[in-house]
Amino acid sequence: MNQARMVPVFLAPDRDRMIVIFGGGPVALRKARQFTGFRLRVVAAEIDPELQKLADETVTEHFDPADLNPFLKEAFIAVAATNSKELNTAIAFAAKKAGVLVNSAHGGGDVLLPSVVRKDKYTVAVSSEGRAAAFPPFVAAQINGFLDEDYDRMLDLIIALRQEIRTRIATQPERAAFLDMVLHNDDVWNLLRSGNLDGAHALALKLHISEN
């Protein structure tokens, strides 16, 4: 039987959810920035000043990975972000044993943080699912170069059309089929690329009319 693949998920930032980061150096700082919008508790003997500014709570002490429960109180996700693979493995094991989701800088966690291409109104995430850390940022850079402002224009058009067609097209499957038709229409894309946004909008609506 093939092993089940990881499930790609986007999380809404929530100040009621606690992310507990073990480690106080550059790796922990990078992880903390990826969890902007959540409550952050950082546990380490020494904590980078920039990381201290991001944290809601800091626990400046050495910790025993065999006894992390006091630090995992209220934890939504634990992050093993020390510079030691052995220590991160022990942290990940302890967090899983406590029933807490865990991300580890050295792999082996339930949660992976992907490379991200973040545009104005949409986001693309890339992960090798822990197989090769160098691969996702390379792919993300390639995707970023491909996704130019024409895609932003198309998304704006689709958002506008989605609102307009609610009263014109009766069912959700029919609305989805219409929007898919717009997305695959070369003439609409060409108008967007030329900067003729009104023309693209008008043509898209004509596509609906021509279908009826």
Side-chain angles (χ1 to χ4, degrees), residues 4 7 11 24 39 51 57 80 90 94 108 123 127 145 150 154 164-165 167 186-187 197 199 204:
V7 178
L11 295 174
R39 287 171 60 211
L51 181 54
E57 301 177 20
T123 301
S127 174
D150 295 330
M154 176 58 88
E164 293 180 47
I165 63 176
T167 58
D186 290 339
D187 291 332
L197 308 186

Side-chain angles (χ1 to χ4, degrees), residues 20-172:
V20 180
I21 300 174
F22 294 92
V27 175
L29 177 59
R30 175 170 55 84
K31 296 284 188 179
R33 287 172 173 158
Q34 290 178 290
F35 282 106
T36 298
F38 291 87
R39 287 171 60 211
L40 299 179
R41 176 187 298 144
V42 178
V43 183
E46 297 182 11
I47 301 175
D48 181 281
E50 287 298 312
L51 181 54
Q52 288 182 345
K53 293 177 184 178
L54 294 176
D56 297 281
E57 301 177 20
T58 56
V59 182
T60 310
E61 62 180 75
H62 291 281
F63 56 85
D64 180 358
D67 185 25
L68 295 183
N69 286 344
F71 307 112
L72 291 172
K73 184 180 179 181
E74 302 180 280
F76 174 53
I77 296 174
V79 179
T82 76
N83 59 6
S84 165
K85 181 176 182 180
E86 180 179 321
L87 182 53
N88 285 339
T89 299
I91 293 167
F93 177 81
K96 287 182 180 180
K97 187 176 180 180
V100 177
L101 294 170
V102 61
N103 169 262
S104 173
H106 286 95
D110 312 285
V111 177
L112 296 180
L113 300 178
S115 294
V116 173
V117 178
R118 195 177 294 279
K119 299 295 186 177
D120 183 38
K121 294 177 181 173
Y122 68 96
T123 301
V124 179
V126 182
S127 174
S128 65
E129 299 184 29
R131 295 178 181 87
F135 185 70
F138 170 78
V139 174
Q142 300 297 308
I143 292 172
N144 189 46
F146 174 77
L147 295 173
D148 58 22
E149 63 183 9
D150 295 330
Y151 286 84
D152 296 286
R153 292 170 177 169
M154 176 58 88
L155 178 55
D156 286 337
L157 174 61
I158 292 298
I159 291 171
L161 290 172
R162 185 170 176 267
Q163 297 301 317
E164 293 180 47
I165 63 176
R166 288 182 183 278
T167 58
R168 302 189 187 195
I169 303 178
T171 68
Q172 192 281 329

